[in-house]
Amino acid sequence: MQRFKNGLIAITALLALGLMPLAQAEDDNKVLVTVTTGDAQTQAMAMILTGQLVQRGADVRILLCDQAGEMGTTAFEGPTFKGPDANAQQIMQKVMKGGAQVDVCALFLPNSDFTQDDLIDGVGAASPDEMGEYMIDEDVRFLSF
């Protein structure tokens, strides 16, 4: 009888340990998406794929750097793509409505002709400290376009 109890306890413990990663996956679904490319189709695809992550419940932050920083400004004039019938910025704004946080990188504004006033509603300017704090989390996944 004791062997049966010990075996049952061992099986229960193994099952509990096996299910822990599934429970943690829901809570630790953080993704940092960095977009640096000036290629319009890549920018749009990055936003479409990021939108899929948001729809599936991921905590998403988007960091726009270099040429992609313009996506976060009122000056953006990217082409409209068939399929989403939208440009990359319009797709990004839909992703933002789904809960994604979007920032231009800390170097973008000081090294361009843009100012904080040129950013579209909802887009901020990231600080290195803030991004470092987000990235240090061991559960953050990184995507770069």
Side-chain angles (χ1 to χ4, degrees):
M1 185 66 159
Q2 185 63 29
R3 290 174 106 186
F4 176 75
K5 286 181 184 178
N6 289 342
L8 189 57
I9 291 170
I11 290 172
T12 303
L14 287 173
L15 286 173
L17 289 174
L19 296 176
M20 280 178 65
L22 294 176
Q24 288 177 344
E26 291 177 14
D27 295 335
D28 299 331
N29 198 5
K30 294 180 176 183
V31 183
L32 175 62
V33 178
T34 56
V35 185
T36 59
T37 183
D39 181 77
Q41 192 168 12
T42 303
Q43 290 174 346
M45 196 68 233
M47 294 302 106
I48 289 169
L49 294 176
T50 301
Q52 291 297 311
L53 291 168
V54 169
Q55 285 179 11
R56 286 162 175 75
D59 172 18
V60 174
R61 291 194 65 172
I62 300 170
L63 187 62
L64 305 174
C65 302
D66 198 17
Q67 294 174 328
E70 196 169 321
M71 279 177 45
T73 71
T74 56
F76 184 78
E77 295 182 7
T80 299
F81 291 98
K82 293 178 183 176
D85 298 320
N87 66 33
Q89 185 184 71
Q90 292 165 334
I91 301 166
M92 180 182 74
Q93 288 173 312
K94 184 177 179 183
V95 173
M96 290 167 65
K97 286 180 184 172
Q101 180 178 339
V102 178
D103 294 297
V104 294
C105 71
L107 294 175
F108 179 72
L109 293 177
N111 293 286
S112 71
D113 293 331
F114 298 105
T115 68
Q116 186 86 29
D117 293 336
D118 295 315
L119 298 178
I120 61 173
D121 286 341
V123 173
S127 74
D129 288 343
E130 175 188 9
M131 292 311 301
E133 190 64 35
Y134 186 80
M135 294 182 333
I136 195 70
D137 187 327
E138 66 186 39
D139 296 312
V140 174
R141 292 179 290 153
F142 298 87
L143 298 176
S144 184
F145 296 91

